[in-house]
Amino acid sequence: MLPQFSYVRPDTLQDTVKHLNEKNAAIHAGGTDLIGCLRDGIMQVDKMVSLSALSDLHGIRETADGGLIIGALTTITEVAENPLVNQKYPGLSKGASEVASPQLRNQGTIGGNLCQKPRCWYYRGEFHCRRKGGDTCYALDGEHQFHAIFGHDFICIITHPSDTAPPLAALSAKLKISGPENSRTVPVEKFFVLPMENPRAETVLQPGEVITHVVLPAPAKNLRSSYRKVRARRSWDFALAGLALALEIKDDTVTNSRVYLSGAAPVPWRSRPVEDVITGRKLDDATIQKAARAVVEDATPILGNTYKMDLFKGVVEEELQAMR
Ligand SMILES: Cc1cc2nc3c(=O)[nH]c(=O)nc-3n(C[C@H](O)[C@H](O)[C@H](O)COP(=O)(O)OP(=O)(O)OC[C@H]3O[C@@H](n4cnc5c(N)ncnc54)[C@H](O)[C@@H]3O)c2cc1C
Ligand code: SF4
C-alpha cells in the first residue's frame, strides 16, 4: 500500500527548491520509479513535489556551439526519437531506446532515469541491507547473478540501472543542478557515487537539489558513438552487460576514446584498460582481441556472476568490430 503524502505542483523553480528543502520531500517526474519505491517502502516521503509545471524543463534544443541541451523532464521516448540526438549522438538515442518498455519510455523522463533507485531484490524487498543503513550486504552470500563485477569493494554490489547514463558519460555530458544554496554543473561521470564513498547514496545530489538540464557538448568532427545492451529478456529488462562507446576515428585510427560499461558496477563504469588498448591504434583484429581481454582485467566477480566476464569480452569484441 502507498503511504500518505501531500502533493504540490509549483510553477517556478524557486518554489520547487523551497518545497524540496523540507524534510522527506521528493521530486515527482514521471513517477515510474518513485511510486514503486514508495510501495516497496525504500523511501519515506511526506511531500511529493511535481516538476510538471516547469515548462523550461521540457524539450530539446541546440546550443550556440552546436551541442544540445535537454530538459530533465523530457521523456525518454523524446530523447530516443529526436532527430538531432540521433544525428549528433546515436549512442544516446540507442541507450534511450533500450530503456524498459515503450509505455515506461513514454512516461519516464531523462532526469528520473538518471536518479532512479537500484534494482537489487534485497534492497527492494524487506531486507535492512547496507544501502538502507544496515550492516550487511545480503546479495554477497545470496542471489547476485545480476550484480556488479567492478567497483563494489564487497560493500554493496548493485549495478547502476540507467541505460542513458553510460552513453551520456561517454559523450562527456554535464548536468545542470539547482538547489537551495546555488546552481552548479556536474559532469555525468562525477554524478554517481561508489559504495566505498557512501553506500547509502547513488548520486551527489544534496537535499533540495534538482537536475534541470542535461548538456551535451558539440560532437567532435570525427566522433562516432554507440550503445549495446545485453539482457535476459527482449521485452524489458535491465542490462546484464552493456557498452557505451564514444570514439574519435581519423584515417581508421582511434584518436580519442571514452568507454563506459553498464550492468557492470554500482556506477557507469569507465573502462580505462579498453581505452588504453584502442587509443592511437587502428581497430584491427589483434587490437580488438586485446581490448576484449582488457575489459575484464580489473574485474572482481563473485561466485554467481563470473559469466559476466565472457559477456563483456563478447560485447567489446562485437561493438568494436561494428565501429570499423
Ligand atoms: C518495469 C521497469 C523496467 C525498467 N527497465 C529499465 C531499463 O531497462 N533501463 C533503464 O534505464 N531504466 C529502466 N527502468 C527505470 C525507468 O527508466 C525509470 O523508472 C524512469 O526512467 C524514471 O523516470 P521518471 O521520470 O518516471 O522518474 P520518477 O519515478 O519520477 O523519479 C525517479 C527518481 O528520480 C528522482 N528525480 C526525478 N527527476 C529528477 C530530477 N529532475 N532531479 C533530481 N531527481 C529527480 C525522483 O525523486 C525519484 O527518486 C525500468 C523501470 C521499470 C518500472
Ligand atoms: S547489493 Fe547493495 S542494495 Fe543489494 S543487498 Fe547488498 S547492500 Fe543492499
Side-chain angles (χ1 to χ4, degrees):
M1 220 171 65
L2 275 182
Q4 290 208 323
F5 49 80
S6 63
Y7 189 87
V8 290
R9 190 168 176 263
D11 51 17
T12 66
L13 190 56
Q14 203 181 10
D15 280 351
T16 304
V17 167
K18 210 155 62 190
H19 284 294
L20 284 173
N21 209 19
E22 291 172 24
K23 193 166 171 257
N24 291 339
I27 293 172
H28 178 257
T32 58
D33 184 49
L34 182 64
I35 302 297
C37 290
L38 294 183
R39 215 181 292 123
D40 294 340
I42 59 175
M43 277 164 110
Q44 242 210 316
V45 172
D46 295 329
K47 183 186 263 190
M48 192 96 92
V49 184
S50 169
L51 302 183
S52 60
L54 303 177
S55 53
D56 184 44
L57 268 60
H58 291 267
I60 300 172
R61 59 177 199 277
E62 206 162 9
T63 55
D65 71 350
L68 283 187
I69 182 158
I70 305 177
L73 271 187
T74 308
T75 67
I76 296 160
T77 298
E78 288 173 272
V79 175
E81 295 180 356
N82 183 278
L84 282 173
V85 176
N86 207 354
Q87 177 203 325
K88 291 171 186 270
Y89 319 101
L92 176 58
S93 286
K94 188 74 193 321
S97 73
E98 293 280 350
V99 169
S101 62
Q103 293 88 339
L104 285 159
R105 293 196 291 276
N106 288 342
Q107 178 68 19
T109 65
I110 186 83
N113 189 255
L114 296 173
C115 298
Q116 61 177 298
K117 291 287 180 187
R119 286 279 155 183
C120 171
W121 34 51
Y122 299 100
Y123 177 70
R124 296 266 172 170
E126 288 169 4
F127 295 81
H128 189 63
C129 72
R130 206 168 267 149
R131 190 157 288 275
K132 286 178 176 162
D135 55 12
T136 305
C137 171
Y138 294 95
L140 270 173
D141 289 326
E143 298 279 331
H144 53 241
Q145 59 268 39
F146 299 149
H147 287 66
I149 64 168
F150 295 96
H152 50 68
D153 290 299
F154 301 94
I155 298 169
C156 165
I157 57 173
I158 56 158
T159 50
H160 174 75
S162 163
D163 284 309
T164 60
L168 283 172
L171 291 162
S172 306
K174 292 183 175 163
L175 303 177
K176 287 177 83 174
I177 295 171
S178 285
E181 305 299 330
N182 50 26
S183 298
R184 58 186 178 132
T185 300
V186 177
V188 172
E189 65 189 311
K190 298 224 160 81
F191 181 65
F192 300 102
V193 173
L194 282 165
M196 206 167 111
E197 296 157 20
N198 181 355
R200 299 209 59 191
E202 289 82 41
T203 72
V204 298
L205 280 181
Q206 296 299 309
E209 285 191 320
V210 51
I211 300 175
T212 59
H213 299 90
V214 179
V215 185
L216 285 140
K221 197 161 150 245
N222 303 309
L223 179 70
R224 293 173 62 185
S225 66
S226 69
Y227 182 66
R228 170 81 182 279
K229 173 179 177 179
V230 178
R231 50 181 152 175
R233 289 179 297 183
R234 190 62 216 149
S235 52
W236 64 261
D237 222 335
F238 292 87
L240 292 178
L243 177 70
L245 295 175
L247 309 185
E248 288 170 46
I249 301 180
K250 192 160 179 242
D251 300 330
D252 294 334
T253 299
V254 178
T255 55
N256 200 6
S257 67
R258 288 173 68 89
V259 176
Y260 276 82
L261 310 180
S262 58
V267 300
W269 189 251
R270 187 165 187 179
S271 184
R272 300 264 188 197
V274 171
E275 292 177 5
D276 289 346
V277 168
I278 63 177
T279 306
R281 297 216 172 79
K282 289 189 190 325
L283 291 176
D284 54 27
D285 286 347
T287 301
I288 290 176
Q289 289 298 325
K290 204 170 165 195
R293 287 193 297 275
V295 72
V296 291
E297 73 184 27
D298 295 340
T300 46
I302 304 149
L303 201 60
N305 66 12
T306 47
Y307 73 96
K308 285 197 177 192
M309 307 277 278
D310 283 338
L311 267 189
F312 277 107
K313 286 190 211 168
V315 167
V316 166
E317 187 176 336
E318 287 183 8
E319 281 300 285
L320 288 179
Q321 270 166 0
M323 275 282 175
R324 299 205 277 209

